[in-house]
Amino acid sequence: MKTKLKTVHNKIIWLELPALAAWILLMGTFIAPGSFLHALKWMAQNPLLILLNLLPVAAVLLIIYFICANSFVAGGITNFLFGLISYVNLLKIDGRDDPFVPADIALMREALQATGEYRLDMHYGIAALVLLSTALFIFLGIYLGKSEKRRIIPRIVGIVLCAAAFFGAFFTLYRDSDLYNSFPVSVNYNVTTAFDELGFNYCFLYNFDLYSVDRPEGYSESEIKAYIDEFRPREQTQQPQVLMIMCEAFTELTAEDAFSYSDDEQPLKNYFAVKNSDNCISGSIVVPNFGAGTANTEFDVLSGMQTNLISDTSNSALRTFHKSIPTMATALSSQGYDTFYFHQGQSWFYNRNSALSYMGIESLRFDEGETWSDEDFLAELKTELESRTSGGEKLFTYATTIQNHQAYNYAKYGTELPQVQTSAALSPETEECLSVYAYGLKCSSDMLFELTEYLNSLDEPYILVFFGDHLPNLGAGFQGYRELGLNIGETSSPEQVVDNHSTPYIIWANDAYLQGRTMAEAAEGLDLPADGKISACFLGEAALELAGAEDVDPYFSYLGELRRVCPVIKTGIVGYPDGSCTENPTAEEQALISKMHCWQYYRLVTQKLD
């Protein structure tokens, strides 16, 4: 029996190999988080996508076959490799709404560190599918043995031809942005949707250079230098202390209609006390990412540049430059400020230690390995502020909290927490998630209130900017938002895309700064939109204006002009001062954004700081 099977096997090897390649492609498509049938239909309507997704599978399969001369062993190895990366992509999208890309391989240390911070659906059925199918193919390969045709020269030729075909395609088809952009995508500004509909294998290879900086169309270094030459810098008109606090996953979620807190029980009670005071103005910022990307918001706020304009694909902005770049920190430093960054996380995470130094932060404090509450954070922050300004020094501080980072499970605090109060019918998983998240909001709210009380006791003028870095991830597939009846995760309109990336901010000043004015009066010249909604890249510029330093750096001066015309800029979407949004900005608006984009490229890539 075995002999007969082996004879048949040897006769149909060149049928087995295409069948194995087809299985591996279908398995990878099935593993992807989107609808399997939708993906198949999408590829059937765009047959070239089938080739682009099948080619890497076929190339790897054939190369391994020519090495081992065993079709099923080659199929098993290839099946495991492509199944593994497809599975990792599924987990990463579940956890961060961000696909798996080649650059992630170099960040394995961070990935392993972060694994314990996310409550992931491990999709054990998918893992079993990959492992069992791999085991089946390996068993068949061992049972049926190698091909009878094992001559070395044809095998070497086969390896060379397959490798040449693959690399030829990689440097042509998989680098062709026009080809990539020619494929229709139902939501063209959503990278996850593109991976689902265009195929993981194709998108994985297309995004090989994720951390590159794309040169903008029409870029001219001489034009940027002309903009700078036209600028006449002015000295800072006043010098308040400037404090920016980016609060982990901070939102106003528990104020939504789905929650049923009384005024006294509201977790955000103290936050709203600050927000509604005469010392405060407020709004929301549009950040680069959903559910993650803290450092990208850091980059946008500090630099006045946009992560989403660095390249056509998703980026970790702090890894895209390896030289000193101008930021609001360098602008204030030029006016005599000391600059300080404070975070309780690991210094290597997101490449912060290196990148923030390049961004003009002179003093960095990380408390690596510590698990800090917002209460602990505030105690240390007050100590730092007192010690660093005791001699009359002017200080720019950027601090990032960490307490309300996920995972949102009861084990996080080791105490019995108040149950979330909502009129929505919640699953046990979502109830736990929201109860933990709401407790974190309360801690952040209380910390903010105590901080403002402390700053108001000082004679030194202070400007405080407090904001969230991104919306929280409340379960795979936006589960928590769905159960609350919220539209977060919907992408059928530009307004919904903006909402998916909007977090609150407040700009507060102490009485010593205001000198009898309200903050609304002091900030009247900012010309903020009625709803206060601006892109994160404009938040630092607004703080510079309030500190009288808007004309210290020509780029930030231009941002102030651009903000007044297009306060929201988000991956092809433009928002206006009246709160409306469009995906079709006018030619004049496109030119303004293009100027910002080209200037950003100059600062990020070309400009040399003294």
Side-chain angles (χ1 to χ4, degrees):
M1 181 66 179
K2 180 177 179 180
T3 302
K4 290 181 179 180
L5 286 175
K6 187 170 182 178
T7 300
V8 173
H9 162 62
N10 282 321
K11 288 181 179 179
I12 63 169
I13 281 175
W14 296 108
L15 294 177
E16 292 172 353
L17 290 168
L20 287 165
W23 159 262
I24 295 167
L25 177 61
L26 288 171
M27 181 187 67
T29 306
F30 177 75
I31 292 172
S35 165
F36 177 58
L37 293 179
H38 176 74
L40 291 181
K41 180 181 178 181
W42 206 270
M43 287 189 187
Q45 293 172 348
N46 302 276
L48 183 54
L49 288 175
I50 299 175
L51 173 64
L52 291 167
N53 285 283
L54 184 62
L55 181 58
V57 175
V60 173
L61 176 64
L62 288 172
I63 288 172
I64 297 175
Y65 169 71
F66 285 124
I67 291 173
C68 68
N70 190 312
S71 58
F72 282 109
V73 168
I77 295 172
T78 308
N79 186 80
F80 179 76
L81 292 175
F82 281 87
L84 177 62
I85 61 174
S86 297
Y87 177 67
V88 171
N89 178 63
L90 174 64
L91 295 182
K92 188 170 182 231
I93 289 176
D94 270 1
R96 300 179 72 102
D97 192 36
D98 188 36
F100 179 57
V101 293
D104 290 328
I105 297 170
L107 306 174
M108 193 59 65
R109 179 187 177 194
E110 293 185 13
L112 292 173
Q113 177 79 11
T115 298
E117 299 172 350
Y118 293 89
R119 170 176 283 180
L120 295 176
D121 177 357
M122 297 305 294
H123 298 280
Y124 292 112
I126 295 294
L129 173 66
V130 174
L131 294 175
L132 290 175
S133 56
T134 297
L136 174 62
F137 295 146
I138 296 293
F139 169 78
L140 289 174
I142 295 172
Y143 182 74
L144 297 175
K146 294 183 178 181
S147 166
E148 291 181 351
K149 300 177 181 179
R150 300 195 296 270
R151 288 177 296 174
I152 190 67
I153 297 301
R155 287 163 60 187
I156 293 175
V157 171
I159 292 170
V160 171
L161 290 176
C162 289
F166 173 75
F167 284 107
F170 176 78
F171 288 108
T172 54
L173 291 175
Y174 296 98
R175 306 260 55 76
D176 189 340
S177 59
D178 290 335
L179 175 62
Y180 181 85
N181 293 322
S182 71
F183 294 112
V185 178
S186 59
V187 186
N188 58 17
Y189 32 71
N190 188 309
V191 176
T192 300
T193 301
F195 268 67
D196 284 344
E197 295 180 346
L198 303 186
F200 171 72
N201 295 341
Y202 175 38
C203 291
F204 184 82
L205 292 176
Y206 177 77
N207 288 286
F208 191 82
D209 296 323
L210 182 68
Y211 298 120
S212 63
V213 181
D214 292 348
R215 184 185 178 97
E217 184 177 350
Y219 172 76
S220 167
E221 183 175 333
S222 61
E223 285 187 8
I224 301 302
K225 289 182 176 179
Y227 300 150
I228 297 172
D229 290 340
E230 292 171 1
F231 176 74
R232 294 292 178 265
R234 292 186 295 178
E235 290 296 312
Q236 188 175 4
T237 57
Q238 53 186 320
Q239 287 201 316
Q241 308 289 4
V242 180
L243 170 59
M244 305 189 83
I245 297 180
M246 185 169 69
C247 190
E248 177 64 43
F250 188 83
T251 68
E252 297 179 3
L253 181 66
T254 57
E256 293 285 348
D257 292 341
F259 293 88
S260 54
Y261 290 104
S262 67
D263 290 344
D264 286 338
E265 295 173 321
Q266 169 62 245
L268 293 169
K269 173 184 175 181
N270 281 329
Y271 163 76
F272 284 118
V274 174
K275 177 181 176 178
N276 296 325
S277 71
D278 287 341
N279 293 60
C280 189
I281 58 173
S282 61
S284 58
I285 54 170
V286 181
V287 301
N289 301 99
F290 168 84
T294 297
N296 287 342
T297 301
E298 245 169 29
F299 172 83
D300 283 26
V301 171
L302 272 168
S303 71
M305 298 183 246
Q306 282 206 340
T307 297
N308 298 140
L309 285 178
I310 291 177
S311 76
D312 288 338
T313 57
S314 175
N315 273 275
S316 178
L318 297 189
R319 295 189 182 91
T320 59
F321 56 93
H322 305 282
K323 69 175 189 67
S324 294
I325 63 171
T327 66
M328 66 178 299
T330 60
L332 289 171
S333 180
S334 72
Q335 302 303 296
Y337 279 72
D338 294 334
T339 54
F340 171 53
Y341 178 86
F342 176 37
H343 180 45
Q344 309 108 302
Q346 303 280 354
S347 61
W348 52 262
F349 203 62
Y350 289 119
N351 195 38
R352 276 192 176 104
N353 194 48
S354 172
L356 290 169
S357 296
Y358 283 135
M359 296 177 77
I361 305 292
E362 299 159 344
S363 179
L364 299 148
R365 174 179 170 180
F366 299 94
D367 288 280
E368 307 191 48
E370 298 286 339
T371 302
W372 282 31
S373 67
D374 282 350
E375 182 181 12
D376 295 331
F377 163 83
L378 177 58
E380 290 298 314
L381 176 64
K382 288 163 66 175
T383 298
E384 290 284 0
L385 295 179
E386 289 168 1
S387 66
R388 292 175 182 274
T389 61
S390 60
E393 297 89 347
K394 296 300 178 182
L395 182 65
F396 168 64
T397 302
Y398 193 107
T400 300
T401 72
I402 202 170
Q403 176 179 338
N404 215 15
H405 196 286
Q406 56 187 342
Y408 304 123
N409 53 52
Y410 290 136
K412 179 172 185 174
Y413 295 111
T415 59
E416 187 172 336
L417 300 178
Q419 183 176 334
V420 65
Q421 296 184 27
T422 173
S423 57
L426 301 180
S427 65
E429 297 81 8
T430 297
E431 183 178 296
E432 178 179 0
C433 178
L434 289 174
S435 295
V436 175
Y437 176 70
Y439 178 76
L441 283 183
K442 181 183 186 305
C443 294
S444 298
S445 173
D446 294 347
M447 177 269 289
L448 172 65
F449 182 83
E450 185 178 339
L451 174 62
T452 57
E453 291 288 291
Y454 165 73
L455 295 178
N456 232 359
S457 71
L458 303 178
D459 295 330
E460 185 80 6
Y462 263 89
I463 293 172
L464 166 66
V465 185
F466 178 92
F467 56 98
D469 55 350
H470 54 71
L471 294 181
N473 186 325
L474 300 179
F478 306 96
Q479 179 180 340
Y481 296 102
R482 293 290 171 270
E483 293 184 20
L484 290 169
L486 301 177
N487 289 327
I488 298 300
E490 298 294 330
T491 55
S492 59
S493 71
E495 288 82 5
Q496 288 177 331
V497 174
V498 168
D499 287 344
N500 293 342
H501 299 87
S502 294
T503 64
Y505 72 83
I506 66 167
I507 303 178
W508 179 94
N510 66 353
D511 292 340
Y513 173 88
L514 293 173
Q515 297 183 341
R517 301 170 295 174
T518 67
M519 190 60 185
E521 292 170 339
E524 186 176 1
L526 284 181
D527 300 319
L528 290 171
D531 62 0
K533 182 164 287 189
I534 59 176
S535 285
C537 66
F538 294 127
L539 187 61
E541 178 275 327
L544 288 178
E545 283 200 39
L546 288 171
E550 69 272 24
D551 290 328
V552 170
D553 182 317
Y555 176 75
F556 280 101
S557 185
Y558 175 70
L559 284 185
E561 298 174 13
L562 178 60
R563 173 176 58 77
R564 287 163 168 83
V565 179
C566 303
V568 172
I569 299 169
K570 171 68 177 174
T571 321
I573 296 171
V574 170
Y576 299 111
D578 64 2
S580 63
C581 292
T582 183
E583 297 175 89
N584 300 294
T586 66
E588 291 79 7
E589 291 159 356
Q590 287 281 26
L592 290 172
I593 297 169
S594 177
K595 180 176 178 179
M596 171 195 175
H597 191 183
C598 290
W599 206 333
Q600 167 174 321
Y601 181 85
Y602 173 76
R603 288 163 77 89
L604 201 56
V605 175
T606 305
Q607 185 173 359
K608 302 290 190 298
L609 296 186
D610 296 333

